[in-house]
Amino acid sequence: MSKIQIFDTTLRDGEQSPGVNLNKLEKLEIARQLERFGIDRMEAGFPASSKGDFEAVKMIADTIKNTSVTGLARSVKSDVDAAWEALKGAEHPALHVFIATSPIHMEYKLQKKPEEVIELAVEMVRYANEKFAQVQWSAEDASRSNLAFLATIIEKVIDAGASVINLPDTVGYATPQEYGYMFKYMMENVPNIDKAILSCHCHDDLGLAVANTIAAVENGAKQIEGTINGIGERAGNAALEEVAVAFNIRADQYPFETNLNLKEIKRTSDLVSKLTGMHIQANKAIVGRNAFAHESGIHQDGVLKHAQTYEIITPEMIGLQSNLLYLGKHSGRHAFSDKVKAMGYELSEERLKEAFDKFKQLTDRKKEITDDDLFTILTEVQTDSLAVDKYELDMFQIEYGSTNIPTATVELKTPDKEIVKKTCTGNGSVEALYEALDKLVSEEVELIDFQLSSVGSGADALAESHVKMLINGQQMNGRGTAQDIVEAAANAYLNALNRYVIQSNVDNKKKIFD
Ligand code: KIV
Ligand code: ZN
């Protein structure tokens, strides 16, 4: 078995998914879960891109101890400096510096000659090496680059101190055969390749990201880059959970080993989906809702007779368990705290109290509290910016029925602690509610997308709402849960708004490739 390192870029490339903007507490929560999942390196963000991202990377670097934390930098000294400032507190800080190497990128985007690109790449790796013990260098758009040129620049950046060479299929254009061949070529044509490891990074524009990743590993790549649920720029990146399970189930074909704990897949996937607001398609491999559902009678009959007739992966392998009930109305603070620890959460006293209060409120309205409910409460509490002035919902009341006009009255506390109240009508209850909220807040708000789902099943399941809104022209997402769907909708609206309020105090987030 050959050992393969896993480099997760959910918090950087994944966060570049359209409409995703995670705050630093959410990023930290995902980072903690990635550590539990057993990844070897995490790319926490792009520190030079914004003050918000800088702070998030720093917080992760200062907290995560068992996983190497890295940050992205363009081939600009100030990017490397910003990354060092954010990462220097990490146990194993690393830098990921990149420059484009394809003819189209060099000519039109960088407007540099190939020799200038080599010079800059070498200079940046040298510069980065003065600060970072580990420097990863990426050839952006490697898969559309000239192989001989790529071999030349790789040899030089290895000499300059790069210990990981990443060859991305930036636009998801390569076929498995081409992508695999590029790795074989570098293994055979870069004289000092034994001084570094090769890494693959695939985008899914043609739906080939996982296949390309595997082709790279079969041809010498020792590190895989990808994201949870395959989120990322455009069609996303290679889904790490798919690669990990493929290696395990088809170990006869793929003699590769990782440090991943497959039982953490479900929870990692749920957390990323919840916090990014990116729903997982029902038929997605490994983590989709239907991945283990057998619909046709013939399949059901087969599975009942012998599970492996139609089931090649067990739900248990990825940590999918039926919602075990541990706590209920009569559970005390002690039992609750034990359960929180058993679920792997580290909550401060203040957050534990808040979580316990929410749990108690829920037990008043819901008979059975499931693991999914607790996961929702704990994630919400853990990512709440507690000591920040923000909008708070004091109360709302909705009147609607089949024969009258839906009318909502909302009372809000503003970040200046002022109490404001408004009544509005709408075509539906949520529209009336949002109309009243729009009138009460001082920001300009436009709703772009609204989604509602349930946490788990049953008539008393928690409702979860995700919204995308333009707030003062900036796209923000928000999520909210409650037992009632309208209250979940109100919470999602305020969550997006408060994110904007908090973020605009820090910095206006800027994506790097726009
Ligand atoms: O896809 C890509 O080329 C990237 C680089 C920044 C590594 O994400
Ligand atoms: Zn990428």
Side-chain angles (χ1 to χ4, degrees):
M1 286 286 199
S2 140
K3 193 80 188 222
I4 303 296
Q5 304 278 308
I6 300 295
F7 177 114
D8 179 280
T9 182
T10 304
L11 297 172
R12 198 278 298 169
D13 220 331
E15 220 240 348
Q16 281 171 222
S17 304
V20 171
N21 47 16
L22 298 166
N23 65 32
K24 63 182 176 188
L25 291 178
E26 290 166 337
K27 281 189 131 193
L28 181 62
E29 206 46 30
I30 292 177
R32 285 198 174 111
Q33 180 57 29
L34 291 172
E35 192 178 32
R36 238 177 258 134
F37 185 26
I39 61 147
D40 301 288
R41 303 171 72 189
M42 69 176 77
E43 187 162 51
F46 176 27
S49 68
S50 69
K51 193 151 178 269
D53 219 27
F54 177 92
E55 285 183 357
V57 174
K58 181 159 169 45
M59 191 182 226
I60 292 169
D62 294 347
T63 310
I64 297 296
K65 294 294 165 221
N66 298 321
T67 305
S68 165
V69 181
T70 187
L72 185 70
R74 290 167 299 186
S75 291
V76 181
K77 280 188 178 167
S78 56
D79 275 24
V80 177
D81 295 342
W84 176 245
E85 287 309 311
L87 288 157
K88 64 186 178 192
E91 202 83 7
H92 312 285
L95 183 78
H96 179 189
V97 60
F98 74 98
I99 193 163
T101 53
S102 64
I104 186 168
H105 276 237
M106 289 192 289
E107 183 178 345
Y108 295 101
K109 191 181 82 175
L110 299 177
Q111 296 179 340
K112 287 194 190 305
K113 300 217 174 340
E115 310 78 62
E116 292 174 305
V117 169
I118 294 181
E119 204 176 303
L120 188 54
V122 167
E123 186 194 340
M124 279 309 121
V125 170
R126 276 213 189 99
Y127 184 70
N129 238 204
E130 289 170 14
K131 300 171 193 287
F132 290 89
Q134 197 183 58
V135 175
Q136 163 167 326
W137 178 80
S138 276
E140 192 190 9
D141 207 16
S143 56
R144 292 193 298 168
S145 303
N146 175 285
L147 292 183
F149 173 68
L150 211 46
T152 305
I153 191 167
I154 290 174
E155 183 186 354
K156 293 195 190 300
V157 293
I158 292 176
D159 276 346
S163 54
V164 181
I165 302 295
N166 183 41
L167 302 177
D169 182 24
T170 302
V171 291
Y173 180 76
T175 66
Q177 201 190 17
E178 283 168 338
Y179 196 61
Y181 180 70
M182 177 170 66
F183 284 81
K184 185 173 183 312
Y185 183 96
M186 299 310 150
M187 292 300 287
E188 289 169 357
N189 291 281
V190 176
N192 53 0
I193 198 68
D194 58 313
K195 305 235 165 19
I197 62 163
L198 287 178
S199 166
C200 56
H201 175 118
C202 299
H203 282 268
D204 208 29
D205 299 63
L206 296 176
L208 292 171
V210 169
N212 284 344
T213 298
I214 292 175
V217 171
E218 287 178 316
N219 285 281
K222 289 277 181 263
Q223 175 177 287
I224 290 175
E225 299 197 3
T227 59
I228 304 302
N229 300 337
I231 65 170
E233 280 274 339
R234 307 179 310 278
N237 292 56
L240 287 176
E241 68 280 2
E242 292 182 21
V243 179
V245 173
F247 281 177
N248 183 290
I249 297 293
R250 297 309 310 271
D252 57 324
Q253 295 291 313
Y254 304 138
F256 310 118
E257 223 177 28
T258 69
N259 288 325
L260 294 176
N261 175 3
L262 301 192
K263 287 208 179 303
E264 290 292 332
I265 285 181
K266 180 73 176 90
R267 178 157 161 194
T268 316
S269 164
D270 282 351
L271 183 69
V272 169
S273 168
K274 194 182 274 296
L275 294 185
T276 57
M278 292 192 71
H279 285 291
I280 301 166
Q281 78 199 52
N283 62 328
K284 155 117 178 40
I286 317 300
V287 290
R289 201 175 56 242
N290 293 350
F292 298 98
H294 301 283
E295 183 67 21
S296 95
I298 297 173
H299 287 209
Q300 286 173 355
D301 182 54
V303 168
L304 286 174
K305 288 181 175 141
H306 192 303
Q308 281 169 18
T309 48
Y310 289 101
E311 198 172 85
I312 60 161
I313 312 161
T314 63
E316 291 75 31
M317 171 183 272
I318 62 155
L320 185 77
Q321 45 185 352
S322 50
N323 261 309
L324 304 169
L325 303 176
Y326 285 99
L327 298 172
K329 201 175 175 58
H330 303 293
S331 304
R333 190 182 295 267
H334 199 77
F336 181 77
S337 160
D338 282 352
K339 175 66 182 162
V340 168
K341 280 198 199 107
M343 287 177 81
Y345 283 89
E346 295 163 30
L347 262 62
S348 64
E349 271 306 306
E350 190 185 12
R351 288 186 197 268
L352 186 65
K353 182 180 173 316
E354 195 193 334
F356 186 66
D357 290 347
K358 284 196 173 199
F359 161 71
K360 278 292 174 192
Q361 279 163 20
L362 192 60
T363 58
D364 284 343
R365 299 166 87 180
K366 192 170 189 285
K367 223 167 72 204
E368 297 175 334
I369 308 295
T370 65
D371 272 11
D372 279 347
D373 295 329
L374 282 185
F375 176 67
T376 300
I377 291 176
L378 294 171
T379 306
E380 209 163 88
V381 167
Q382 192 70 317
T383 56
D384 187 11
S385 309
L386 295 176
V388 173
D389 292 332
K390 50 193 177 197
Y391 286 100
E392 282 168 38
L393 185 65
D394 263 5
M395 78 90 187
F396 74 93
Q397 196 174 331
I398 309 270
E399 282 172 41
Y400 73 109
S402 52
T403 51
N404 59 1
I405 297 172
T407 308
T409 301
V410 180
E411 192 177 281
L412 267 192
K413 195 190 282 166
T414 70
D416 305 325
K417 308 269 181 273
E418 198 190 336
I419 305 288
V420 288
K421 194 170 176 179
K422 194 92 199 166
T423 299
C424 285
T425 57
N427 289 314
S429 50
V430 173
E431 193 186 332
L433 172 84
Y434 278 19
E435 195 61 34
L437 285 165
D438 284 353
K439 295 263 165 16
L440 288 175
V441 305
S442 44
E443 288 74 13
E444 192 72 37
V445 179
E446 187 192 329
L447 182 69
I448 302 172
D449 189 30
F450 175 84
Q451 291 184 29
L452 200 55
S453 55
S454 68
V455 175
S457 52
D460 64 354
L462 279 177
E464 183 164 81
S465 172
H466 284 269
V467 293
K468 281 197 196 343
M469 312 201 300
L470 272 186
I471 303 179
N472 286 350
Q474 193 177 333
Q475 189 172 318
M476 303 300 298
N477 53 9
R479 65 171 199 287
T481 45
Q483 252 228 311
D484 172 72
I485 55 172
V486 183
E487 192 173 344
N491 290 342
Y493 181 111
L494 291 175
N495 183 258
L497 188 67
N498 284 327
R499 250 167 223 280
Y500 174 82
V501 171
I502 294 164
Q503 189 175 292
S504 54
N505 282 343
V506 181
D507 173 358
N508 274 341
K509 183 144 181 89
K510 206 173 166 319
K511 301 279 172 178
I512 54 171
F513 295 128
D514 56 14

